Amino acid sequence: MDTDNKIPVLREGFLVKRGHIVHNWKARWFVLTPDKLLYYKYEGGKRDSCQRGKILLKDCLITCPFLEYENRPLAFKLQTKHGVDHFLEACSREERDEWAADITAALNKLQATDGGKPMSQKDSAQSRLQNINLSKVLDSMYDVHSGIKLSNHVEQGSTYSNCFSGSAVVDWLVFMQLSLTRGEAMTLASALLEEGFLQTVGQRSVEALRTASLSEQFMDDSTALYSFSDSFKKRGSVKSERSLSAVELSGKVVKRGYLLKQGHRRKNWKVRLFVLRSEPDFLHYYDPTKDDISPVGGFSLRGCLISSLDDNGVPSGVKGNIQGNLFKIITKSDIHYFIQAPTHQEKMDWIDAIREHT
C-alpha cells in the first residue's frame, strides 16, 4: 500500500469520505503528503493504482471534531481555499485526532513557507475559563438544535437512556469553540460536574469521580457516561434497563480499526469497522458507509482459532485480487472469517489482541 517512493508519506490509512454530488459515504485509502491529501478506491481486496482524487492542503481550514452529523461523531472537515468542503470520518477518536494533528502540522508548514504565522492558541486555558459563564454553557448544551445529543448507552449489560459519553462532551465543547483543546474542555467539563450541572451515570464515571483529583474528575472517554443533573433536567430522565441483546456490546472496547472482510456468500471484499471488546469477549463489525450504529455482524471469541495466512499466493477459500496481510478466524461453530489488514504490522497487532481474548 505504498505510494510513489519519491513523495514523502506523512500518514496513510482508511477514512470514510462523504461524496460531493451523491452524499453517500464510502471507505477510501488516504495518503497524506506535505502538500496534498490523496485518496484511492479498493476493489477486490486491493488498492486501485489510480488515485480517485486529491485535496490540495494550501490555505485549507480544518474543523475537528465536526459534530453536525449526529451518527458520525468521529468526523472532521477540510475546507479548501475555494470553499469546497470535504467530510472525513476515522475509526476512533484517537485516529481522528492523529489525522487532524498531522494535517494541521502540514498546513502550518505550508503557511510558514509562505511567510505566514502558524496557527496558535490565542489565550491560555486558565484565562478563558475565568471568563466563561457555566450557566450559559449549560443552556447551550440544552439547545435542541445545536446542543449535546442525548442517546442510549450500554455499560456492563445495562442500557442507560438520555445520557452522553465524556468524549462526546469534550468533542462538543471543542466544536462549539468553548474550549480550544481537549485538555481545556476536560477542565471545563470538570467544573460543570463540580458545580452540579452534570452528574455521573454508571460505574466508570462514578469511580473516576471518587478517585480522581479535582482537575481530572471528568473523563474524556467514550465508555464514561454522564447526564444533566436531576435538579437541572429539561430533556428527559436517565433510565437503566437490562437487555440480553446488549450484553455482548457492553464489554470494554479494547481495539478499533478499519479492516477488509470477505463476504460469506458473494466472496467480495468490503471495508468494515471492527471493534474488539472484552468481558464479554466479542468481535463486532460495522458498515462504515451506513449511519446505523448497530453492528452488521459479530461473534463471541470464546473457543475461536485465529491464524496468519501466508502472503505467497492466494490461500484456499480466498477470492479476489488481494493485497496480502491476511488472517483467518474460525469460530466455535466452525464459521470461517477471512480478514485483511492494511499492513503487516496491523495484521500482527490484531492477531495478538484477539488471541488475548479467545
Side-chain angles (χ1 to χ4, degrees), residues 242-253:
R242 196 76 176 180
S243 172
L244 291 176
S245 61
V247 170
E248 64 183 62
L249 296 172
S250 66
K252 178 183 177 181
V253 175

Side-chain angles (χ1 to χ4, degrees), residues 72-88:
R72 295 185 180 274
L74 302 178
F76 61 96
K77 182 178 80 169
L78 266 179
Q79 184 180 68
T80 69
K81 66 178 180 180
H82 300 297
V84 179
D85 292 332
H86 297 272
F87 302 97
L88 310 173

Side-chain angles (χ1 to χ4, degrees), residues 54 123 131 141 149 262 271 330 340:
K54 63 183 177 182
D123 305 308
N131 297 322
M141 294 180 74
K149 305 299 181 184
Q262 181 177 260
V271 177
I330 304 176
Q340 180 185 4

